[in-house]
Amino acid sequence: MEITQGVRFDSLGLSEEIMRALEKKNYQISTPIQAGCIPPMLDWQDVTAKAPTGTGKTFAFGIPIIEHIDSESDQVQAVILAPTRELAMQITSEMRDLAQFKPSVRLVCLYGGQPIGKQIDALKKRPQIVIATPGRLGDHLKRRTVRIDQVQTAVLDEADRMLDMGFIHDVTRLLDQMKNRKNLGLFSATISREVMDIAWVYQRDAVEITVRADEENKPDILQYRLELTMDQKVDAVEKILNLEQYDRVMIFCNTKGNTERVTKLLQMRGVDAQCIHGDIPQEKREKVMARFRKGELRVFVATDVAARGIDVDDVDAVFNYDVPDENEYYVHRIGRTGRAKRHGVAYTFVTDYPSMVRLNDIAKHTRSQIQPVKFGEDGKLVQVEAK
């Protein structure tokens, strides 16, 4: 079933506490994904939802979960699995906002890279909702610091990415331990083969909901490509930053090594740049992200996996330092700019024939108009005439 419109939250029969939390955020009308998912999940039905990033998925599953919690019980009643710690933390923050007028609802966020002792202390407070990455939840089960046999609702957020990242066995092991589960929500930007397999095995008569990226939701992004040698790429970033006077940009690289290299080279040129990737300690990553969110950091360099779940939606420009390996990555990357009805800009650097072929493929599959440009005599960017 394809959903194109939202509904008024006060038409969904929600509790006074949830309505107060929504009013505090000044939300009266739901997004389409929320309109499609909240009623069946409130009725304990399984849901498979396909929707683009940034469509309000957390509230779509978060509202029914919080409404179902028996606050008298100390059992874990809901588990939300996310592929990255950044996304797990973001979901936790949004869920806390939703539950702020229900003080007896307790949440915990479990992810790798944080001392396990701190998490064990949090679990001793008997949370009813666990938001976790699959690996770390598995660690806690082995240590017997958490039980999930009384879980009633399970949600896999960004299910396609989670299963792509090799978590399928962790996820199925966790689902197998939730013997009393009443419903399962699968939320995904794409319904991959693996997502379909999980749905087939673990869901019954699921309500299928699709939200398309409609024209109105589509960000307004100017997309450029520059043909450069490897040595010219950092210079090009610096030139464009100075030329356009951007205050806040993201640079995406395909590898951890490249994020480090680009960051150091920019810092040597006096540019305020920091990077995050999987090998950087969690505490440092959180500090860098906090600075970027507050607008205190000009250039944020990241790999695709590290950047997932970072909810910053008013970036002036995005640089694809490397052409992404996946079409989907390109869409996620450039979608950081041009949100909230603002103009956005994305620059992609092409250094060789294979990366040109990749970018042409991306343009075709994402229906993107990627305009070739180069630096003119005066140092400004000019369009390259088609040959």
Side-chain angles (χ1 to χ4, degrees), residues 92 96 106-110 119 122-123 127-132:
T92 306
R96 284 196 205 288
R106 296 179 296 281
L107 301 93
V108 70
C109 187
L110 309 174
Q119 294 176 357
L123 286 164
Q128 299 107 340
I129 302 170
V130 169
I131 300 117

Side-chain angles (χ1 to χ4, degrees), residues 65-66 69-71 95-96 99 102-107 127-129:
I65 283 174
I66 290 168
I69 294 300
D70 172 6
S71 54
M95 295 284 284
R96 284 196 205 288
K102 291 197 172 204
S104 51
V105 172
R106 296 179 296 281
L107 301 93
Q128 299 107 340
I129 302 170

Side-chain angles (χ1 to χ4, degrees), residues 66-110:
I66 290 168
E67 294 287 37
H68 282 154
I69 294 300
D70 172 6
S71 54
E72 300 294 305
S73 166
D74 283 345
Q75 304 285 343
V76 175
Q77 297 160 48
V79 166
I80 301 162
L81 294 175
T84 65
R85 43 195 161 189
E86 286 78 22
L87 183 60
M89 287 158 65
Q90 186 191 317
I91 293 168
T92 306
S93 165
E94 290 186 45
M95 295 284 284
R96 284 196 205 288
D97 286 349
L98 272 178
Q100 63 186 297
F101 298 109
K102 291 197 172 204
S104 51
V105 172
R106 296 179 296 281
L107 301 93
V108 70
C109 187
L110 309 174

Side-chain angles (χ1 to χ4, degrees), residues 108 115-127 140 145:
V108 70
I116 203 155
K118 203 172 166 186
Q119 294 176 357
I120 291 168
D121 289 343
L123 286 164
K124 284 177 184 162
K125 292 177 183 159
R126 300 285 189 186
H140 280 286
T145 47

